[in-house]
Amino acid sequence: MAPDSALSDEQRPLLASPPTAESAVADESSGCEVPGRVATRLYISHLLSTWNSRVFEFGAVLYLASIFPGSLLPMSIYALSRSAAAILFSPAIGQYIDRGNRLHVVRLSIVLQRFVVAASCAIFYMLAIGLPLERGEKTGLLVLLALLACVEKLCAIMNLVSVERDWVVVVAGKDQAALRAINAQMRRADLVCKLIGPLFIALIDGISTKAAILLNLGMNVASVYYEVPELQQPKAKMQEEILHESRSAHNWRHVQGLAKSFTKNFSFYFHHPAFLPSFAGALLYLTVLAFAGQMVTYLLSTGYIATQIGLARTLSVAFEVLATWLTPWLIGWIGPIRAGIWLINWQMASLVAGTAIFLALSRWPTISASALVTGTILSRVGLRGFDLCIQIIIQEDVEAEHRGFFSSVEAAWQNAFELCSFVATIIFSRPEQFKWPALLSVLATATAVVLYTIFVYLRRGHLLHLDKWMQIMRSQKGRQRSREEGLGKIAASSDV
């Protein structure tokens, strides 16, 4: 990117006036010089990859809950393995993406992901049909599923980063209108897959788990991708001295550099003024009160069916989309800092209300679980809105040259807290113990509220406009005194 364009991006206001529908359509369509055939291939490739990833990710939770009923342990181990692999190996995946050929990288991610998902579906089917397996054999297959899940997660990351962060820029070239149009279409594809994919596989699983596994396998094998010839252009070559350097010396220096960078990034993160809102947002990842594996498994144990869970999850995503419309309006009215404290308190109030009813009505599992579902759905407005607020705060407060450092450490904390949520359901693995991970989630949210409240006080110097309240109270007292004096004059004149 040219320095002039980078400077203009830095100086552009974050909250510009909202465009009209006509201008938005014209902006996406006008000036787009990307050939329609190239853009269509890119969209189809991305849509197929995202669809398969979303369907398998949610379907695997349903399969495990059906195969291992009455326990959160298998699902927790499965999800824990995926998150751990993402934390440990994402930097290596990023380096491979930066140095490898674009088409080769995506080919490898797609082919390997298809193979791993097919193998996982085969194992799921073997377990679902009830083959006479010993306890040790069943445990071994679960471990194999966890390992395959790690590979699938890394392939999904490789494909997502390659397509959304690299392919889009290459296909659009220097055409900014085309870049905006392609990004918009990619986001719409992600949203469609997030809404429809889990609901679709949940409806099939509600009829038959075996049929859902076979359908998942068939869609995975039948999926193809389209190549874009423009992606054959080579990337920047490595420096000559690195190419001629011995592999062992280069690897050792690379390890030392990673260790120094790790320490430097964490020190910079903790001492930055935007640390408190960032850490508060990361803390919200320590939760089981979301329509992910832990809560889905618990709901199935209380009598919910997969179709009902899929509908609830769709409604939850709809509330998240609603937050993307409400939050910009709220930010434009009172600013991102005050909007953030309103939204995180909304999330806290929704979770506290839902959890309180859940605990009070624990004798009736279905009713108490429904209260928890309702509180979770309502809290998504606050969660996504607060996430948008802290994103704007970080964009404004963190220097452009340090955003990569800051964001990488923030992502590490997010994954670490997510791992803690899986550890909680491993320790409290029985459905009747789900109240303890739920309370831990509420406690994490309360801690995030406290941290963000401290940030707001340090930034603004106050939490409430007490001076304005005092002025209002004084004006009310003054009006009351004036009325009393007027009544006194009327009474005196009547006496006369």
Side-chain angles (χ1 to χ4, degrees):
M1 182 179 291
D4 295 338
S5 62
L7 183 61
S8 63
D9 290 339
E10 287 298 320
Q11 294 176 345
R12 186 178 298 128
L14 288 172
L15 293 174
S17 57
T20 61
E22 292 79 2
S23 63
V25 173
D27 184 57
E28 285 194 11
S29 59
S30 63
C32 183
E33 300 179 358
V34 178
R37 187 172 61 89
V38 174
T40 301
R41 287 183 172 185
L42 180 64
Y43 298 151
I44 293 176
S45 176
H46 181 65
L47 181 65
L48 291 174
S49 298
T50 307
W51 174 266
N52 283 316
S53 180
R54 293 287 188 183
V55 169
F56 178 74
E57 181 182 4
F58 191 75
V61 176
L62 300 178
Y63 310 152
L64 286 171
S66 176
I67 295 167
F68 300 96
S71 176
L72 302 176
L73 183 61
M75 186 282 310
S76 299
I77 294 175
Y78 185 87
L80 182 68
S81 304
R82 283 169 54 91
S83 297
I87 294 173
L88 294 175
F89 300 109
S90 290
I93 294 295
Q95 285 190 353
Y96 177 70
I97 292 172
D98 290 337
R99 298 183 180 185
N101 178 274
R102 290 185 175 92
L103 282 178
H104 293 168
V105 169
V106 176
R107 281 174 186 163
L108 176 64
S109 68
I110 292 176
V111 172
L112 190 56
Q113 187 179 27
R114 298 291 183 271
F115 173 78
V116 168
V117 171
S120 299
C121 289
I123 297 174
F124 278 130
Y125 190 77
M126 291 171 55
L127 294 171
I129 61 178
L131 291 178
L133 299 173
E134 299 292 336
R135 182 181 179 86
E137 294 174 337
K138 222 172 184 181
T139 304
L141 289 177
L142 179 60
V143 172
L144 181 57
L145 281 173
L147 294 176
L148 291 174
C150 295
V151 179
E152 189 274 334
K153 178 68 172 179
L154 295 175
C155 291
I157 293 173
M158 186 188 305
N159 184 274
L160 183 67
V161 173
S162 297
V163 173
E164 291 193 352
R165 302 297 175 86
D166 192 24
W167 278 38
V168 172
V169 178
V170 174
V171 171
K174 297 181 179 179
D175 190 345
Q176 295 298 318
L179 183 61
R180 289 193 297 271
I182 294 174
N183 279 326
Q185 292 287 357
M186 303 282 269
R187 286 294 175 267
R188 293 182 189 119
D190 291 339
L191 182 59
V192 168
C193 293
K194 187 177 181 180
L195 277 171
I196 302 178
L199 177 61
F200 170 76
I201 198 64
L203 291 173
I204 304 301
D205 186 80
I207 300 172
S208 170
T209 300
K210 303 181 188 67
I213 295 173
L214 291 177
L215 180 62
N216 203 161
L217 175 62
M219 289 190 302
N220 177 76
V221 173
S223 299
V224 295
Y225 77 100
Y226 291 88
E227 294 184 354
V228 181
E230 287 79 1
L231 301 173
Q232 293 283 11
Q233 55 180 291
K235 296 183 181 180
K237 295 183 179 180
M238 298 168 60
Q239 296 180 359
E240 192 69 25
E241 56 269 18
I242 296 180
L243 289 174
H244 294 288
E245 186 181 19
S246 67
R247 184 175 296 273
S248 59
H250 172 63
N251 289 341
W252 173 244
R253 271 197 287 271
H254 179 65
V255 171
Q256 288 180 321
L258 286 178
K260 292 179 180 178
S261 176
F262 183 84
T263 305
K264 178 182 177 181
N265 291 351
F266 269 84
S267 176
F268 173 80
Y269 179 78
F270 284 119
H271 291 88
H272 199 277
F275 161 70
L276 286 175
S278 173
F279 198 76
L283 258 175
L284 299 179
Y285 281 75
L286 204 170
T287 183
V288 297
L289 301 180
F291 290 96
Q294 300 106 312
M295 189 170 176
V296 168
T297 306
Y298 170 73
L299 292 176
L300 289 171
S301 70
T302 62
Y304 272 71
I305 61 175
T307 304
Q308 294 171 333
I309 297 174
L311 291 172
R313 189 179 190 276
T314 302
L315 185 59
S316 174
V317 174
F319 270 75
E320 293 180 23
V321 175
L322 177 63
T324 64
W325 293 95
L326 292 177
T327 305
W329 170 81
L330 186 61
I331 292 175
W333 180 33
I334 59 176
I337 296 178
R338 291 172 63 192
I341 200 166
W342 284 26
L343 290 165
I344 195 173
N345 277 284
W346 169 267
Q347 180 187 1
M348 181 67 187
S350 301
L351 292 179
V352 168
T355 306
I357 300 175
F358 166 71
L359 295 176
L361 303 179
S362 58
R363 295 181 179 179
W364 301 275
T366 304
I367 299 176
S368 63
S370 299
L372 202 61
V373 167
T374 303
T376 301
I377 291 175
L378 293 176
S379 71
R380 307 310 282 182
V381 176
L383 174 66
R384 293 306 169 200
F386 178 70
D387 182 68
L388 181 59
C389 291
I390 62 174
Q391 179 180 347
I392 293 176
I393 292 171
I394 291 172
Q395 288 174 342
E396 292 179 342
D397 287 8
V398 181
E399 302 79 5
E401 62 273 14
H402 294 144
R403 285 175 190 155
F405 293 159
F406 193 92
S407 299
S408 63
V409 178
E410 181 184 10
W413 279 112
Q414 291 172 354
N415 285 278
F417 286 126
E418 189 177 16
L419 280 177
C420 292
S421 70
F422 294 131
V423 171
T425 50
I426 289 176
I427 296 174
F428 303 103
S429 59
R430 295 197 303 273
E432 59 270 19
Q433 296 177 322
F434 188 74
K435 61 182 179 181
W436 300 116
L439 288 173
L440 179 62
S441 304
V442 175
L443 179 61
T445 306
T447 306
V449 171
V450 171
L451 291 178
Y452 190 76
T453 303
I454 294 173
F455 166 76
V456 173
Y457 182 79
L458 293 176
R459 178 63 62 91
R460 304 180 73 234
H462 61 274
L463 297 176
L464 298 173
H465 291 284
L466 296 179
D467 53 343
K468 293 185 178 180
W469 281 104
M470 293 300 295
Q471 291 176 4
I472 294 173
M473 294 299 295
R474 289 170 182 170
S475 63
Q476 290 178 349
K477 290 180 179 179
R479 286 195 296 268
Q480 180 67 23
R481 191 179 300 111
S482 299
R483 284 195 295 268
E484 291 176 355
E485 291 176 356
L487 290 173
K489 292 179 180 179
I490 293 172
S493 62
S494 64
D495 291 341
V496 173

